[in-house]
Amino acid sequence: MSFAQSDPLFWGLLAGLLAFLSVATLVGLVLKWRLAPGQPSAAIDNLHQRNLAWWWMIAVCATAFHFGLAGTLTLAVCLSFLALRELTAALAWRDADHRALLTVTYVLLPLQYLWVGLGVAWAVWVFLPLAGMVVLPAVLLLAGVSRGWLDSLVRLQWLAWIGVYAVSHLPALLHLRLPGDAQPLMLLIYFTLVVQLSDVFQFIWGKLIGRRPLAPQVSPGKTVEGVVGGFVSATAVGVMLADITPFEPWQAAGVSLLLCATGLLGGLLMSAVKRERGLKDWGQSIGGHGGVMDRLDSVVLSAPVYYHLVRATWAV
């Protein structure tokens, strides 16, 4: 089905999302007016920053999705490039690693997205893993790295996986052939809504009723109550949106729970790396949120899992 045929559904979802965000923004403004008029308030000001950031993030994603594969691919390339910049800045590197870092950013990244753009599925799956095993060791060894090269190789492979490979599975969804009138674009929108709303709901429920820390040494802000509330809320949204996917409602519940769980695990994984490096956020480019990787952390595991699950179970 062409994108033009999906326009009414696309705009309907966008209108609902903007209505939800408008309410959240209004609540933030009322809280500021009632509780901290003309005064700084860390919690309320952070909420306001987050709401403002969501306005432009939704605008960027909606624009990219509106232009189908070309727009989504462009967005994914930009996100991967920005993610690599943040990850590279946060990790420890030696001068001898510089050539390999350039290889990841300016050779492996473009080639990975070339396969995605061309719809060469097998290359999307195997190119970066093979490059990590063959190309990156060769670049390090030819650069004269003899000591500590294994540590450098592991960091480089991890960098390529997190910053490029995981994100590239999002535009790859648009090449899937689905049964009936199901549209790949709606699969991508479904994924984005469930994963990101899970994070939002976990934050909201954690602030409202959170008491017991989930993993205090890794992510101090995560609570058991917040995670449970976020999972239930995001899964409910996923079930309500089942009609835009090839999933039956009970299947949508299972897929949504899986996305919530892998999103949480990805967030904890990236938080553990931040704590090891002594960082609070990956960057400051998104007001109230941190950096690009602070929004992509829930994608790094959930995107590949979602792509391969849909391809193996529903694609024709």
Side-chain angles (χ1 to χ4, degrees):
M1 181 175 289
S2 69
F3 180 74
Q5 292 173 287
S6 72
D7 264 353
L9 186 55
F10 174 81
W11 293 115
L13 288 171
L14 181 60
L17 190 59
L18 292 179
F20 177 81
L21 184 56
S22 297
V23 172
T25 303
L26 181 61
V27 169
L29 292 173
V30 170
L31 287 174
K32 180 68 175 178
W33 173 61
R34 293 291 301 274
L35 302 179
Q39 302 175 18
S41 171
I44 297 176
D45 291 344
N46 179 261
L47 175 63
H48 185 60
Q49 281 187 313
R50 283 174 173 264
N51 287 335
L52 290 178
W54 275 116
W55 279 104
W56 71 260
M57 284 192 287
I58 290 173
V60 169
C61 288
T63 302
F65 294 164
H66 179 65
F67 288 100
L69 178 62
T72 303
L73 192 63
T74 300
L75 175 61
V77 170
C78 293
L79 290 176
S80 282
F81 182 77
L82 294 172
L84 287 182
R85 286 188 60 186
E86 291 180 355
L87 293 168
T88 300
L91 302 178
W93 304 99
R94 302 172 302 172
D95 291 341
D97 299 328
H98 185 65
R99 188 181 300 175
L101 286 170
L102 292 177
T103 300
V104 172
T105 305
Y106 296 107
V107 178
L108 302 188
L109 185 154
L111 286 175
Q112 176 70 7
Y113 282 105
L114 174 63
W115 311 135
V116 174
L118 295 175
V120 185
W122 67 266
V124 174
W125 311 331
V126 305
F127 169 69
L128 265 182
L130 286 176
M133 290 188 292
V134 178
V135 176
L136 292 180
V139 172
L140 285 172
L141 293 172
L142 291 174
V145 178
S146 57
R147 290 192 174 185
W149 76 273
L150 184 57
D151 289 339
S152 294
L153 177 61
V154 170
R155 282 197 297 272
L156 287 161
Q157 290 174 331
W158 182 83
L159 189 79
W161 168 274
I162 297 297
V164 182
Y165 188 71
V167 180
S168 72
H169 281 74
L170 297 180
L173 283 166
L174 300 188
H175 285 293
L176 293 179
R177 296 178 58 191
L178 302 172
D181 60 355
Q183 305 162 42
L185 177 65
M186 293 298 112
L187 275 181
L188 176 57
I189 293 175
Y190 182 89
F191 170 87
T192 304
L193 287 174
V194 171
V195 171
Q196 295 301 324
L197 285 175
S198 177
D199 281 353
V200 171
F201 287 135
Q202 287 177 47
F203 175 80
I204 293 173
W205 285 113
K207 292 295 183 183
L208 291 176
I209 61 172
R211 296 291 183 272
R212 292 170 291 179
L214 178 70
Q217 301 303 318
V218 176
S219 184
K222 292 283 187 186
T223 64
V224 173
E225 295 83 359
V227 167
V228 172
F231 277 30
V232 171
S233 301
T235 298
V237 171
V239 172
M240 288 188 289
L241 294 176
D243 286 345
I244 72 172
T245 72
F247 314 145
E248 296 294 331
W250 66 270
Q251 294 172 326
V255 170
S256 298
L257 277 173
L258 180 62
L259 291 179
C260 291
T262 51
L264 173 65
L265 186 59
L268 292 176
L269 166 67
M270 299 307 293
S271 290
V273 178
K274 283 192 295 186
R275 296 296 172 262
E276 184 179 340
R277 302 304 303 166
L279 302 173
K280 180 179 182 296
D281 297 312
W282 288 106
Q284 300 298 324
S285 57
I286 306 177
H289 295 263
V292 170
M293 274 309 310
D294 291 292
R295 287 269 42 92
L296 288 179
D297 56 4
S298 55
V299 171
V300 297
L301 298 182
S302 57
V305 168
Y306 181 68
Y307 173 86
H308 289 289
L309 174 65
V310 172
R311 180 183 175 276
T313 308
W314 287 279
V316 295

